[in-house]
């Protein structure tokens, strides 16, 4: 509800001006849409006449050649915690916009409650404005909608792909990042756009971090070699070199030194023993062994006040992979956390429980008993009833079973070669294939959810997995290679990298549409309550 | 065929007239204008101003402008008032005419340059009134000796003006009075009953029709006039292309013969069209003359022209037989042409079918071709709909293949709106009939029809009709209007438009009492969460009430906790808020949260005491930070007391103390502490923290005490590679060996590296 806060702030400003006897003209521009509630507030405050309102129906920000963001970070908290569905309409409108631009989507898949609602709203919009997209040749063959709560695990893991690491370390905002003095090796900070335009970045963004340094130094050597060609040039060649190549080389040089700086800075922070142990613990949690050891690692993490967000993240990861904490741990970890980071986090825990991120294993609650509850709720006609019911009954994650079914933990014989990855697991050092990406891969392979019933059931999405295929005769084979993946509640750079890899392997091209780019820290912050 | 009749119960009527929307305007003597629909249904009324009430209306004119239909009146005080558009009533009182003592002999409303004027004649003078001034005007070339004007007529397009004087003289000119066209002397001094223009668009001929009791005279730019005898009392209505003459038993149309018709039907005409018609007739008789005629046209190269003439002439015919024979001739001629575009022929056939259909006496809309083209098909359809001739309108749409949204759907929607007004049919039957006819025809809005039904007071029917509306969002506004807010709420939720839900919510909030409102919300979680979000920012107290009503003690607890941070400043207030929260948590059976809250209360009080006694900042620190602050301040006793009171686990306490003492660089105390008992966290952290403070000396002290599993790590940390190697070899641990090896640098550790390699080799041998 960031927008709300900003809006109320502006209302406060107007009122302050009024009190001070200043009369001014005010304009409020709502983006992506104007809410009735806002107008109402203006009316109640008695300043409706002083303020003129406009709507800027801006919904899609292209951050990169294959990445569209709605820049709605509040979507995650509003929907997954508060059950507020206002943004779903915004998503539906964005999809409608895309289909008017690129023609109808012949194949639609989706999983998750929000995905289904957004899809249905979108369909309604299409029907209302019949005929506009009809008869157009589809340019994008598939669309896949996915709720963030289908896969929290991937979003909670530490990222080790370069772009993800940069995001985790420096925070990428709207496709650009502020590199501080420690990176730029000067006394100034520098705002850098990170996208495919940056040639150096484009080559390393999807690489596992362990390869990046080697790549950059190779690149530096090549660059030097190109500079060195100057020697032994005659005047004419030199003129050519200066007018044509030098600028490009200089640019590359600048970028190279920036990324090397960034790498060094990351190395300083991440290659410490702490980080390696952290990763080791994460992998143990994903694979499900040495749970006791991991639990005490987390406890130590909390005791040492390493970082409130990190501690929280590890607790959530433990909870989801283990289908909830055992009651003893649930209590003791929470107690430790409150002692370390302050009692106000009691509210944070209440939020996390509601979102299903940090829960307690209920002894009597077997899977089947849960399911019958869920299905009873689902059959209830009024769809709205489910949101609340769901959050109150703390979803089971069933991660272990899903992991087995979908083979998320690759069996490794010997060392996993991160330079030449075999599968999407490389984005997590070969330890884990991102669940979200695996689901997408499987569905695309089958062109439906067929044969994935068990997985869908384990994901608690039996009623929210859908496929909608229309005749494909109009779709060119070119367009059928193109897939739009929509993440509702945010996606991480690791997921993007993994799918880019899948695309290269299978000859697909993925385009990403997300409500916002996210990472573990952002998810945790969204759930945290801090003192005002 | 009478459309409607009604008994007049109102005041005396001065003038009657039709508006462009086919509404009957009745101007009463008291200045009130009553508006009736085509079926005699009263629509509305308006007044031509207060002044009229006293002075009465002497005379009124209804005229048409590009804005719509206007009304002009002449009051008893000899003043003019007009409104150029009765649909958007703006009264304009015209300036006074100086010296006007009696009613003008004749007057008319003129429309020039989008502004309405009044032209009036007083004795031998003419005055033009616009909204600002009154100016005297003189028609150029007016014959002398005029002492008064008896009649004036403005043409249909306001372009021409005719004046009839008391000398029996007619002046014809432009309405701007800048140019004279012609004049005519009819030598009849009796004032004519009516005088109207009769001309055809784009025709050079101009004529005026003057009517007396039983005589009709057509005069124009010729020395002779045409005269007709009228058998009955008649009334003239000017049209775009001629004059309608109504009498009790007849309806005739007088117009200039169109050029194409004249060419073809003139006696002994040799025009190409006439020859073609002749050729076709001969062809039907199987006579070779057909060929001769055809050749004649072709030799002159006029066949295209001939076909066009026949098509055009067909358009002006009213008799289907005549239309057919002309079209047949055109079709015949077309056969001998290579590339004659078929559009004009096809369109004429279509237009004539439509025209013949509406000219039928059952329908009674005798339009000419030119009028029809001016009117456009859309307006014609509107007029049919207005006459409730829905089937014909639909047939025309289908015949002309008009797009559904503009055509059939629109008419069906009108039909449905009419249908809901039939009060003698039950709601079910009406709803079913409408749905059967309309189905889901695109472009039909059931909510519009429902709105009409509601307008007729049939709420139940409206609700039934709304059920057919596929877009639930469309149903909401009407449901709200009909005070079916709860139904509106569920429809809004169905639509998925949160904004709509919100609109309904605020409606409900004002409409219901609080208890009912909350109960309604309770069954609609989506709406509830939306309202909660709103309350969180706008009405915190309401939020509390909401939780209370639901017995949601968990959320209530959270609410009070939040309040203890945000709302309360004083420590007592905060503790009280926390106490309420703790009670709520107990009720919610959340013992953990209750205990944690109670601990927090305890901590708050204690922090307060610490601040009082020791000074410094303690409030709102976490327990951990409180203890750390105490240690950093040298209050070790207090710190330990606190740790005991709050049962801080040993491990945490050790980490805490270790960090705090290292921060203080109190190495002595640290060493004492390390020896106080066996460390629950081992000794590696001691080594690490010393190294972090760059104190190798202290670090080494602890390295020796580190347990065997972490020994290598500890030794490496303090930089003792050689010893680390020894330990690793002793452990025969491959991982440790490689770790040490990776720390071996340069020449200094060369010996050690060799040693490890040897040990490795040995281990492999075994």
């Amino acid at each position: 509800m960031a927008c709300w806060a900003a809006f109320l702030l502006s209302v406060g400003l107007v009122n302050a001006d009024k009190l001070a006897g200043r009369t001014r003209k005010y304009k409020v521009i709502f983006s992506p849409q104007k809410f009735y509630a806002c107008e109402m507030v203006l009316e109640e405050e008695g300043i409706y006449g002083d303020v003129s309102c406009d709507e800027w129906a801006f919904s899609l920000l292209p951050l990169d050649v294959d990445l569209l963001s709605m820049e709605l970070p509040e979507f995650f908290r509003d929907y997954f915690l508060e059950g507020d569905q206002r943004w779903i309409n915004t998503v539906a409108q964005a999809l409608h916009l895309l289909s008017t631009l690129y023609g109808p989507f012949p194949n639609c898949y989706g999983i998750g409650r929000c995905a289904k609602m957004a899809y249905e709203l979108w369909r309604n919009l299409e029907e209302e404005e019949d005929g506009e997209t009809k008869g157009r040749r589809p340019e994008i063959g598939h669309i896949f909608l996915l709720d963030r709560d289908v896969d929290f695990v991937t979003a909670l893991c530490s990222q080790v792909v370069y772009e993800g690491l940069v995001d985790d370390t420096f925070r990428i905002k709207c496709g650009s990042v502020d590199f501080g003095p420690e990176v730029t090796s000067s006394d100034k900070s520098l705002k850098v756009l990170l996208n495919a335009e940056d040639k150096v970045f484009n080559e390393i963004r999807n690489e596992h971090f362990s390869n990046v340094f080697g790549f950059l130094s190779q690149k530096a050597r090549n660059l030097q070699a190109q500079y060195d060609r100057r020697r032994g040039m005659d005047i004419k060649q030199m003129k050519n070199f200066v007018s044509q190549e030098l600028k490009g080389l200089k640019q590359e040089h600048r970028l190279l030194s920036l990324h090397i700086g960034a790498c060094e800075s990351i190395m300083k922070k991440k290659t410490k023993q702490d980080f390696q142990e952290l990763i080791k613990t994460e992998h143990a949690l994903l694979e499900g062994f040495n749970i006791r050891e991991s639990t005490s690692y987390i406890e130590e993490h909390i005791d040492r006040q390493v970082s409130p967000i990190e501690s929280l993240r590890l607790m959530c990861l433990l909870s989801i992979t283990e289908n909830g904490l055992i009651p003893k741990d649930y209590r003791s970890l929470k107690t430790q956390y409150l002692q370390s980071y302050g009692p106000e986090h009691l509210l944070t825990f209440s939020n996390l429980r509601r979102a299903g991120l940090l829960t307690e294993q209920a002894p009597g609650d077997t899977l089947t008993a849960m399911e019958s509850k869920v299905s009873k709720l689902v059959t209830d006609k009024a769809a709205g009833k489910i949101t609340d019911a769901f959050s109150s009954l703390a979803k089971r994650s069933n991660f272990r079973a899903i992991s087995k079914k979908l083979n998320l933990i690759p069996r490794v014989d010997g060392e996993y070669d991160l330079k030449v990855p075999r599968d999407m697991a490389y984005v997590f050092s070969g330890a884990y294939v991102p669940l979200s990406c695996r689901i997408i891969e499987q569905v695309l392979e089958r062109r439906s959810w067929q044969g994935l019933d068990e997985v869908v059931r384990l994901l608690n999405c039996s009623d929210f997995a859908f496929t909608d295929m229309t005749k494909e005769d109009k779709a060119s084979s070119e367009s059928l290679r193109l897939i739009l993946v929509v993440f509702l509640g945010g996606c991480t750079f690791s997921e993007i990298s993994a799918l880019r890899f899948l695309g290269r392997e299978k000859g697909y091209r993925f385009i990403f549409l997300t409500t916002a780019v996210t990472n573990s820290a952002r998810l945790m912050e969204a759930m945290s309550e801090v003192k005002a | 065929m009478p459309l409607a009749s009604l008994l007049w119960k109102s005041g005396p009527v001065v003038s009657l007239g039709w508006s462009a929307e086919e509404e009957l305007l009745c101007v009463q003597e008291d200045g009130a204008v009553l508006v009736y629909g085509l079926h005699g249904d009263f629509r509305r009324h308006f007044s031509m101003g207060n002044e009229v009430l006293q002075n009465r209306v002497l005379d009124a004119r209804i005229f048409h402008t590009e804005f719509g239909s206007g009304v002009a009146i002449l009051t008893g005080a000899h003043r003019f008032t007009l409104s150029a558009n009765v649909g958007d009533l703006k009264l304009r009182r015209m300036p006074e005419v100086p010296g006007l003592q009696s009613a003008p002999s004749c007057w008319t409303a003129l429309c020039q340059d989008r502004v309405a004027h009044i032209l009036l004649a007083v004795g031998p003078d003419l005055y033009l009134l616009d909204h600002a001034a009154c100016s005297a005007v003189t028609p150029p070339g007016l014959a002398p000796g005029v002492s008064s004007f008896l009649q004036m007529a403005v043409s249909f397009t306001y372009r021409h003006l005719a004046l009839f004087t008391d000398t029996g003289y007619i002046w014809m000119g432009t309405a701007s009075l800048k140019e004279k066209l012609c004049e005519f002397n009819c030598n009849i001094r009796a004032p004519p009953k009516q005088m109207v223009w009769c001309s055809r668009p784009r025709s050079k001929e101009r004529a005026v029709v003057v009517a007396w009791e039983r005589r009709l005279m057509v005069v124009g730019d010729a020395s002779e006039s045409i005269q007709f005898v009228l058998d009955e009392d008649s009334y003239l209505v000017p049209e775009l292309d001629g004059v309608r003459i109504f009498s009790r038993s007849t309806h005739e149309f007088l117009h200039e013969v169109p050029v194409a018709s004249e060419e073809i039907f003139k006696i002994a005409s040799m025009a190409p069209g006439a020859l073609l018609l002749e050729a076709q007739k001969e062809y039907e008789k199987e006579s070779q003359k057909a060929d001769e005629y055809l050749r004649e046209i072709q030799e002159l190269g006029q066949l295209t022209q001939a076909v066009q003439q026949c098509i055009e002439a067909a358009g002006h015919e009213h008799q289907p037989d005549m239309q057919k024979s002309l079209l047949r001739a055109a079709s015949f001629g077309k056969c001998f042409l290579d590339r004659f575009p078929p559009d004009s022929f096809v369109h004429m056939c279509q237009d004539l079918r439509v025209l013949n259909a509406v000219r039928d006496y059952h329908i009674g809309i005798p339009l000419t071709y030119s009028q029809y083209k001016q009117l456009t098909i859309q307006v014609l359809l509107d007029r049919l709909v207005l006459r409730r001739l829905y089937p014909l309108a639909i047939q025309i749409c289908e015949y002309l293949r008009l797009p559904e949204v503009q055509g059939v759907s629109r008419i069906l929607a009108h039909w449905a709106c009419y249908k809901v007004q039939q009060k003698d049919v039950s709601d079910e039957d009406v709803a079913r009939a409408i749905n059967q006819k309309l189905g889901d025809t695109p472009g039909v809005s059931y909510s519009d029809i429902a709105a009409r039904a509601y307008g007729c007071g049939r709420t139940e029917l409206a609700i039934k009709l709304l059920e057919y509306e596929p877009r639930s969002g469309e149903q909401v506004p009407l449901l709200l209007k009909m005070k079916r807010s709860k139904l509106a709420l569920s429809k809004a939720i169905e639509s998925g438009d949160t904004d709509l839900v919100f609109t309904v919510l605020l409606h409900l909030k004002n409409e219901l009492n609080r208890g009912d409102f909350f109960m309604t919300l309770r069954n609609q979680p989506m709406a509830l969460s939306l309202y909660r979000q709103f309350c969180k920012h706008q009405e915190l107290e309401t939020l509390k009430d909401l939780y209370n009503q639901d017995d949601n003690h968990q959320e209530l607890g959270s609410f009070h906790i939040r309040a203890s941070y945000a709302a309360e400043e004083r420590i007592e207030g905060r503790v009280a808020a926390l106490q309420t929260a703790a009670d709520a948590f107990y009720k919610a059976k959340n013992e953990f949260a209750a205990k944690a809250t109670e601990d927090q209360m305890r901590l708050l009080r204690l922090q307060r005491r610490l601040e009082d006694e020791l000074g410094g900042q303690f409030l709102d620190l976490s327990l951990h930070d409180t203890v750390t602050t105490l240690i950093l301040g040298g209050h070790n006793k207090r710190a330990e007391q606190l740790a005991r009171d709050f049962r801080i686990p040993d491990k945490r306490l050790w980490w805490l103390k270790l960090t705090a003492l290292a921060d203080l660089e109190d190495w002595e105390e640290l060493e004492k502490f390390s020896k106080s008992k066996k460390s629950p966290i081992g000794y590696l952290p001691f080594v690490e923290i010393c190294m972090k403070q760059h104190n190798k000396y202290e670090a080494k002290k602890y390295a020796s005490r580190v347990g065997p599993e972490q020994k290598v790590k500890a030794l490496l940390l303090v930089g003792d590679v050689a010893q680390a190697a020894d330990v690793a070899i002793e452990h025969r641990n491959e991982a440790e060996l490689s770790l040490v090896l990776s720390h071996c640098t340069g020449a200094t550790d060369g010996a050690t590296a060799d040693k490890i390699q040897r040990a490795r080799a040995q281990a492999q041998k075994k």
Side-chain angles (χ1 to χ4, degrees), chain A residues 3 16 33 115 143 257 271 291 319 387 427 453 463 496 522 527:
Chain A
C3 58
Q33 69 194 85
I143 180 168
S257 61
T271 50
I291 294 305
S319 165
T387 338
V427 301
D453 311 343
D463 287 271
I496 294 177
R522 289 193 191 104
M527 290 289 156

Side-chain angles (χ1 to χ4, degrees), chain A residues 21 40 89 109 148 229 243 252 277 319 346 364 378 435 462 498:
Chain A
M40 233 246 355
N89 211 11
Y109 321 95
R148 183 70 270 173
R229 281 195 300 123
S243 65
E252 213 171 317
E277 293 213 352
S319 165
L346 197 57
V378 165
L435 169 58
S462 302

